[in-house]
Structure formats: C-alpha cells, structure tokens
Amino acid sequence: MPQISNNKVQHVFLVGAKSLGAYGGYETFINKLTEYHQHDDRLKYHVACKANGDGHMDETKAEGVTCLRKNNKGETVEFTYHNARCFKIHVPEKLGPAQAIYYDVKALSECCKYIKKNRLDNPIVYIMACRIGPFAGHYYRKIHRLGGKVYLNPDGHEWMRAKWSAPIRKYWKISEQMMVKWSDLVICDSVNIEKYIHKCYDGRGIKGNNPKTTFIAYGAETRKSIISDDDETLRSWYESKGLSAKNYYLVVGRFVPENNYETMIREFMKSKSTKDFAIITNVNDKFLDELEAKLHFRRDKRIKFVGTVYNQELLMKIRENAYAYFHGHEVGGTNPSLLEALGSTDLNLLLGVGFNREVAEDAALYWNKTSGDLAGLIEKADALTDREIAAIGQKARQRIKDAYSWEYICGRYAEEFLRRN
C-alpha cells in the first residue's frame, strides 16, 4: 500500500497558469489550492507566474503578498502569496502564439535550477496543459536525475479549440501524446478526460506501458457570500452597470470563441426576455468587434459587458443574485466557473456536452447550439416559479457538496502529493 509521509516537506512546483486570481481554470485552481494548504507544513508550493503580456500576474491586486526579490528595474520578480513562493517569468511578446510554449519551458528551467541549487528531496513538478510535448522527454529525464517526479494535468481537448489554426491544432494533439508519455502521473479533472487518455494512449506510455492516471476534479465554494443585499459596494456596482438583483442572466469566464459567447448572445437577442444579460469577462477587443459585426449586439440594451470583478466576495454575491447563469464551455474538463455557478446560482442553463452533464447531472437545464434552442429555453426559464427555481438550486448545491467542495478536492491533492510509492 502507498504510504503518506508526514515527516518531510514536500515541494511541489506548479507550472502552466498565468496568474493567481484570474478567471482561467488553472488560475482558479492554484489560487484555491494554495489558500487551503497555506497552513499545511507538509507542503510547500512554488508557482510560476507570467510577468508581462496577456493575463500576466499583477500581485498588487492580491491581498497578503510579500515581496521576496526585485530586479534591477525595481520590479517584483519573486513573492509569497498564500505561503506559496511565486516566481515571475518574462515572455518575449514578439513570439505570438509560441509565447505559451516559451513560458512553460522557461518556467521548467527555473524549477530545475531552484531544485538543484537548494538540493530539494523528491520534488514534484506539476505541469498544467500539454503545450510543450517536444521538450517533455528532456525535462522528464532532467527532473528524474534531480530525484523528482513529473505530474501532468492534460486539461481538456486543447487541440479542438476554435481559436487555433489547423497546424497549431495538429501540434497540440502531438504535444499531448508526448506529454502524457513523459509523465509519472496524469491527474484528470474529468472522468471523461481520464477515459479519453486511456483510450488514446494505453500502451504508449513510458516503455510502452499504460499511462498512470487518477481523477481529481476542480472544486467550488458552497457557502454564501459575506456581502449583504444592502451592502454599499454591491449597490454601487449594480447602479454603475444598470443591473438589479434577480433581474439578470449572467456569465463569467474567459472571452474566447469555444465558450460560445456568440451563441449565447445571439439566442438571448432572439428571446423575449425582459431581463438583462450581464457578461463578466476580460474583454478581447478583436473578438468583441467580430461579434458586433456578426450580431450587432450593441443595439440591444439588455446585453451588457460589465468588465471584471476581482473582489471574490462581491463576485460570489453577484452570482447568488443572478436570475440564471449561462455556461457555454464546450472544450475541457470540469470547469471552475460552472462549479462556482452551481454552488451559488439557483438556475443554471448549460450547453449539453458530456463534461457539463457529468458535473451537473439533473441539477441544471440544458441547451444546444441549434438556432432557437437556447432562446426557447430562456423563455421557459423566465416562466418558472420561485419554488421551481429554488428546488433546482437546492439540487445544484447538494451536487457540489457531495463531489466538488474545495475542502474535499484540496484534500485529494494533498493525498496525491504526499503519497510515497
């Protein structure tokens, strides 16, 4: 039987997220993992963060940050957050789509330098997403020579994402194959992803073995926000955005095509709903202009892009007060924004793909991308009684409590990181 060590500090290096506290899945995950483990003396996290460019880490917006080191320009390059050591990686922006590959490779190089310099015992390097396949074998061998292990979270089907061109999609698929091979453990955040890994890569791991996998989902909070309905911060936010409690549909997430903003906006515009559609996201102007050219959504006063909300308690309250939540994510595993919605919002309208159904089961309503389907569901949702909505919300919260609470998920990660085989 595997043993769990309580004697030595287990150093875990987390590579693949751009920053902590942003809306991406890995960013949310690392934020919560370090938060829940910040007082666990058995674990020490080292987190790579992006120093510049899209999605970079701005530690001035996070609470409880302590600077450890600055560069000769006076910029913070190393700091602690949730008792984790965070180190910044500067990325040449001229690289374009290759920035992500450079970022991960550079982060891995820095991890190896730190492990060697500090002579760390049995470190774990946990890589999130399959971006650097051609370099996987090299770093696997290097980390093993240093006495460490390589863990991988393969994310969803990155090679299917709409934002990538055909050659890049092909690269992602090949990269995924190589990274799964050169990993000691593949941690899948979805049962469907774990099945997919075995279906595609059994017999193609190290020395022709099957890849070793385990399933650990993302998590969510089930408590209520500490912000009250009459809180001045909340009232001021509603007033500035032209919104009111229980009178808006909501979506929170990255502003990318595969999250189906186009379908959600188009269908909402078709519906006869008198409510608003509030979109909390870090807007990409190019994609926004493309949507406007296709949909002319700016003519519809119900469609409201309301910016970002970094105050987590305020964001939780905005979710609680939404009439309903849209989730259009089509590619990926267990998505944090879906879990957070199920934990906070009574009525959830989800794109009916396998990943989403696996998570919500019968605790949500489902739509497809057929013209008119979501518009019809919106009108049905508008007609539901308060009692019907409350019953659906109770099911959703129970689903999160049973399988996706952050306490449970972070406990599972502690088990896996502290395991001695």
Side-chain angles (χ1 to χ4, degrees), residues 378-397:
I378 291 167
E379 290 172 11
K380 288 178 183 176
D382 275 357
L384 290 173
T385 65
D386 290 345
R387 179 177 292 183
E388 288 171 325
I389 292 172
I392 296 171
Q394 180 57 39
K395 273 187 180 180
R397 281 183 291 278

Side-chain angles (χ1 to χ4, degrees), residues 26 29 33 37 45 126 151-155 185-194 213-219 333-335 339 358-359 403-419:
Y26 290 137
F29 161 66
L33 187 70
H37 289 165
Y45 290 109
Y126 187 24
Y151 289 7
L152 172 71
N153 186 308
D155 198 5
L185 178 67
V186 181
I187 301 178
C188 306
D189 59 58
S190 157
V191 172
N192 279 316
I193 289 291
E194 187 173 23
T213 66
T214 192
F215 163 62
I216 309 178
Y218 284 121
T334 307
N335 186 268
L339 297 178
E358 174 191 320
V359 173
Y404 296 102
S405 72
W406 272 121
E407 184 176 10
Y408 170 73
I409 298 304
C410 291
R412 281 284 293 112
Y413 266 98
E415 284 179 18
E416 211 59 65
F417 289 151
L418 295 169
R419 195 180 298 273

